[in-house]
Structure formats: structure tokens, C-alpha cells
Amino acid sequence: MKRLVIYFHYDAQGSLDEPCRFAIRALCAEAELVLVTNGTLSWESRDWVAGAGLRLIERENTGFDVGAYRQALLALGRETVSGYEELILMNYTLAGPVCSLKPMLDAMQTHPELDFWGLTRHYAMRSRRFGGQVPEHLQSHFLAIRQNMMQADAFWDYWQKMELPRSYEESVIRHETRFTRYFSELGYTWDSYVQTEDLKSVFVNPIMACPKELLENRGCPFFKRRSFFTPYEDELRRTDGLAARELYEYLKGRTGYPVDALLQSLLRTQPLSSLAKNLHWHYIVGEDGGNPSISLQTQGLALVRLIVPERDTVTDWYLRQSVQSAEKQIAQAAALFERNPLLGVLSPALPLWPEALRFVRQEWQANRKELSGQVSVSMGEDPPPAPCAGWALVRRAAFPQGIPVGKAMQDIWLLPLLAQQNGYYSATFESASQAAARTEHLCMYARAASEPAAVVRQLGRLVKHKLKG
């Protein structure tokens, strides 16, 4: 089958990263490909595109993927596009493939009755953000259109009359959730390659809620980059919060997909705090044991101590206890670096004393703006994993220009951010007994959150405590 892929790409720094190149190479084995990017590629990325023999369209960053597809289609022209048997519109938000694309493409060829098809579908839901009632639809990250539909006036009218979106929400409303119903009502037939009807009553968006299930058991070749950095609070409203970590472990252990190259790219563009939450960059080590005098130098590690400002007496006491306990576990903590090659900074978790957690958040907010001028990585609202307890193990390779000396609270944040800028992540660790206590805290807060009256009582206690203070 003669196929054309229009592959949409965007990167604020103009980089066509290795995950995109990996996907493009796989797609080019099955189709001709035109790359359209919202922006201007770096010279290095342009050279790669030229070497791959691809047609490149660079455009102003307007209209999101909708604007990119529209411009590419109109630039190629109706006669050229209609000469292909199948047109695939795909965007870079999909990562992969984790397996050969041939089984999917061959399987869909056995359904000549379809006028268009997609990789996955999103089920109907109510959403004020996306215009009210959202219909069941094929997700726009991968749409395949057959020749009879490409040659129809309706297809070209759809794009020529498209009002370009000015926001992500408008993009979803005007194209993603509209395309399937619009052409279905015109009499065109459709289906998705990945079948998830049995999950319909469980998840409205299976590719985000259970990506490992789709890859492992349903033949899905792609997953969403966003799985690793989506707002974790949203995931906890929809899932048990394990989807991203399970996906990572599956990719790392069961496929040949270069998932660490994807993580390095995401570290360049996404807040460290978002990645750390979704991927659970928080490790549990054994209780006291191992050789505390282990040679860190031979492992390419260094123990860095930082100056932490004094807090209230109680917080300082809990902090000292936490630090003393963690220092007995340096050997176990150091072993984590060998198992996790992108781990750059590892520090003890903060004690569960609420004032310690509150202090860290306040300090992050106070320093975040100034820090943004010192590093090129994205800043999140939430604090990243950092050595707020006063010390950290660091991988020397994560600091090719030298490990910074910590002299102020701002330097505590700078350590993980510099490692992130160099392609390494930061994490925290704690003992099994600390983790058990954290579990009880979680159960208590989860129970309180489900009982509004209990929340009101807790707020009353906090107000009373503050007034007394």
C-alpha cells in the first residue's frame, strides 16, 4: 500500500530529539514521510532531516497540530495527497514504536470497509474544560485516512474551513473530539486498531490510564510521552498512580525501546517534580547495614554536604534524627546508582513532620524565580527532589563542570536542577520503617479527604493552633 505520513513536531529549542528520530525511522520503513514542525529546527536537526531525505516544512508556532496538518495538506495539494492509498496524520506526542509497525498496518488492511481508522479511542465523557459533552472519538495523535475519503470534497472542506485553535482546549474541541463524529455523520466508517471496549466502563482514556496493558496485551506500538509527566493529581483521580512506573519498567525490561533516551529528552523540557512524581523517584533501602566507609570515589560518586538554615526547634530535631538514620544507609543508597544509570543526585527523604514539608515548599516558591535565570530547565510549581536535609550523594558525571559548593538554601535547589540540565534525574530515599510510616500517613489523609466533616475538623484544629501560637 502506498502511504504518506504527515508527522507533526514541536520543540521550543528546535531539537528533533532521538525519540522523534526513532519514530520517524520506523515510519519511513512503511511509508513516505513529510515532517512539519511548528518553529525552526536547529542546524544539527536540519542536517539529520536532510540526511534522511525527508521533506521539511517549518512554520510559525500557531494552531498547534491542527494548524500544522492543515498547512502541510494544503502545501502538498489535493492531487498529490489523493494519489496515496492511505494518509497518516501523526504527532510527536506519541513515543515508540516498541514493536514492528507491520502487524498493525497489515491487520488494518484486512478491513477495507473502513474509510478511516486510528490507533486508539477516547470514550465519551462530560468535561466543562472541553466543551461539555465529549463524544467517543479516535484520538488525533494517530489518524489514518483512506483514499476514497481523501478524494472527497468533504475532507478538503474540513481543513480549508478549519478555524485554527488558539489554545490546547480549542484544539481538542475543534479537531480532536470533532473529527470522528463529523465524518461519521457524513456516512464514513471508522474503527480503532487497539480494541478497548472491555475497558470502557473502567477508563475513558486507556492509553493514558493503562499504557502497559495496551502495549503488552493489545499490540499497541505506541504510548504517550505525557505518561511520564502528566499532572499526578489528575492521575490519582483516575487511576492508582502506578501507570507511568509500570510502563517504564515494561519498556526497560521487556522491549528494545530506548526509554532512557526519552527520559533524557523529557528532563530537558519538563519539570523535574512532575517526572519524579509519575515515575516514583523515591527509593526504599534496607535498614542499617552495609559498609558505611564504602569508597564512593571508585564508584564515581561524591558525598556533598550543604548548609541548611535553622528552622523551629521541633523541625530541627526531627531533621537531625532523619539525617543520622540516613547516614547509616549510605552503602545501600550508593548501590542505587549502579542500577539507575540516569540517577544524578540522591538525598535522604524529609521526615514526615508537617512543618518540615511546609518549610521546603515555602523555600522553593521563594527561590524558584531567581533559579530560573541560572538553569535552562523547566520549573514546576512543586519542589523537585532535593537535599533539603543537608547532604546528598551525587554522580560526578552529572556535573562535568564541577560539583557546586552549597553555601545557601538556593544551592540546595541548584544541585538537582544542574544535574537535570545535564540529563540526569534526582531522587530521595528512606528506610523501610520510614516508608511504613508514610503509608499510614497516606491512609489517614486519604480517609480524611473522603470525609468532608473530618477535613473541616482538621482545619478547625489548625486555625485554633495558629491562634494560640
Side-chain angles (χ1 to χ4, degrees):
M1 178 178 282
K2 186 181 179 184
R3 291 188 182 87
L4 172 67
V5 175
I6 297 178
Y7 184 90
F8 164 67
H9 162 266
Y10 171 74
D11 184 90
Q13 300 170 24
S15 172
L16 186 69
D17 64 17
E18 179 53 35
C20 283
R21 298 179 190 193
F22 186 91
I24 288 170
R25 285 191 290 265
L27 290 163
C28 285
E30 304 292 343
E32 296 178 43
L33 187 142
V34 173
L35 172 64
V36 54
T37 184
N38 281 7
T40 303
L41 290 184
S42 66
W43 286 111
E44 188 277 332
S45 293
R46 280 187 182 179
D47 287 345
W48 186 89
V49 171
L54 305 178
R55 176 170 176 176
L56 171 64
I57 299 175
E58 294 174 307
R59 63 184 299 274
E60 185 181 356
N61 184 25
T62 57
F64 295 83
D65 57 341
V66 180
Y69 293 142
R70 181 181 185 275
Q71 184 165 331
L73 286 167
L74 297 181
L76 291 168
R78 179 171 180 171
E79 183 177 351
T80 297
V81 173
S82 299
Y84 290 89
E85 296 173 83
E86 192 166 77
L87 165 69
I88 294 175
L89 305 177
M90 177 177 165
N91 71 49
Y92 77 105
T93 64
L94 281 180
V98 304
C99 58
S100 170
L101 293 175
K102 197 172 187 307
M104 174 179 72
L105 297 174
D106 287 350
M108 297 314 290
Q109 275 192 261
T110 65
H111 295 281
E113 74 281 4
L114 298 178
D115 298 304
F116 66 104
W117 60 275
L119 178 71
T120 53
R121 65 180 74 199
H122 191 295
Y123 292 103
M125 68 175 186
R126 285 202 59 79
S127 171
R128 183 178 302 175
R129 180 185 180 190
F130 296 120
Q133 186 62 40
V134 176
E136 183 175 330
H137 61 274
L138 293 174
Q139 292 176 288
S140 63
H141 46 227
F142 188 107
L143 289 173
I145 298 96
R146 296 271 170 80
Q147 192 175 51
N148 66 315
M149 185 166 150
M150 279 189 281
Q151 294 175 340
D153 290 341
F155 179 74
W156 292 93
D157 287 345
Y158 176 88
W159 292 104
Q160 288 170 335
K161 296 176 181 179
M162 174 69 69
E163 185 179 353
L164 294 186
R166 295 162 297 178
S167 67
Y168 170 71
E169 287 76 14
E170 286 188 359
S171 177
V172 171
I173 293 168
R174 293 178 184 176
H175 174 58
E176 165 122 20
T177 61
R178 176 173 172 247
F179 185 93
T180 304
R181 183 167 64 180
Y182 180 86
F183 286 103
S184 178
E185 289 177 350
L186 290 177
Y188 293 100
T189 58
W190 63 277
D191 199 358
S192 62
Y193 168 64
V194 181
Q195 295 297 312
T196 51
E197 187 68 20
D198 58 313
L199 299 175
K200 184 176 180 177
S201 62
V202 185
F203 304 120
V204 296
N205 189 6
I207 197 171
M208 283 296 295
C210 55
K212 174 178 173 285
E213 165 65 21
L214 269 57
L215 267 59
E216 184 177 29
N217 299 320
R218 302 180 189 232
C220 187
F222 296 102
F223 61 96
K224 296 290 281 186
R225 287 179 178 231
R226 189 161 55 91
S227 292
F228 293 144
F229 60 85
T230 192
Y232 192 61
E233 293 80 0
D234 291 347
E235 286 307 287
L236 289 181
R237 286 194 288 270
R238 297 187 287 253
T239 72
D240 62 358
L242 293 175
R245 185 68 201 183
E246 290 177 346
L247 171 62
Y248 174 81
E249 290 175 351
Y250 174 76
L251 293 169
K252 187 77 172 176
R254 301 281 299 281
T255 77
Y257 182 74
V259 63
D260 284 345
L262 174 59
L263 284 189
Q264 286 185 303
S265 183
L266 295 179
L267 284 165
R268 181 174 55 84
T269 60
Q270 302 300 325
L272 180 57
S273 57
S274 297
L275 292 164
K277 287 179 183 178
N278 282 282
L279 286 160
H280 306 301
W281 285 336
H282 181 87
Y283 299 110
I284 299 171
V285 301
E287 302 296 339
D288 300 352
N291 180 12
S293 62
I294 186 172
S295 174
L296 300 177
Q297 186 70 31
T298 60
Q299 295 179 283
L301 307 178
L303 178 61
V304 176
R305 297 193 181 276
L306 304 104
I307 298 174
V308 180
E310 291 186 1
R311 303 153 193 179
D312 63 89
T313 304
V314 181
T315 298
D316 287 341
W317 189 88
Y318 276 112
L319 191 61
R320 285 195 301 273
Q321 298 302 309
S322 177
V323 168
Q324 290 171 8
S325 174
E327 288 189 344
K328 298 176 183 178
Q329 299 161 333
I330 288 179
Q332 296 98 312
L336 291 169
F337 285 84
E338 184 176 353
R339 298 197 294 271
N340 300 280
L342 294 185
L343 176 58
V345 178
L346 182 65
S347 50
L350 283 172
L352 292 174
W353 176 242
E355 289 300 322
L357 304 177
R358 188 175 297 114
F359 175 83
V360 167
R361 179 171 288 277
Q362 290 171 348
E363 287 295 319
W364 170 248
Q365 293 300 332
N367 287 278
R368 188 163 63 98
K369 185 176 181 179
E370 188 172 345
L371 285 163
S372 66
Q374 300 181 51
V375 292
S376 60
V377 295
S378 177
M379 297 284 181
E381 289 291 327
D382 294 329
C388 298
W391 66 267
L393 285 173
V394 303
R395 189 189 298 271
R396 293 183 183 276
F399 300 91
Q401 297 178 330
I403 301 169
V405 179
K407 296 182 179 179
M409 189 67 194
Q410 194 175 99
D411 297 325
I412 289 173
W413 304 116
L414 197 57
L415 198 68
L417 294 176
L418 285 173
Q420 179 188 2
Q421 187 171 272
N422 293 321
Y424 293 85
Y425 71 86
S426 298
T428 53
F429 74 93
E430 66 183 350
S431 68
S433 58
Q434 287 174 298
R438 194 176 298 276
T439 300
E440 295 305 323
H441 276 243
L442 172 64
C443 291
M444 184 187 71
Y445 284 116
R447 184 172 64 250
S450 66
E451 300 172 359
V455 175
V456 172
R457 287 196 298 273
Q458 180 64 14
L459 286 173
R461 294 190 193 100
L462 290 172
V463 171
K464 183 178 179 181
H465 175 74
K466 290 295 182 182
L467 290 175
K468 282 186 177 181

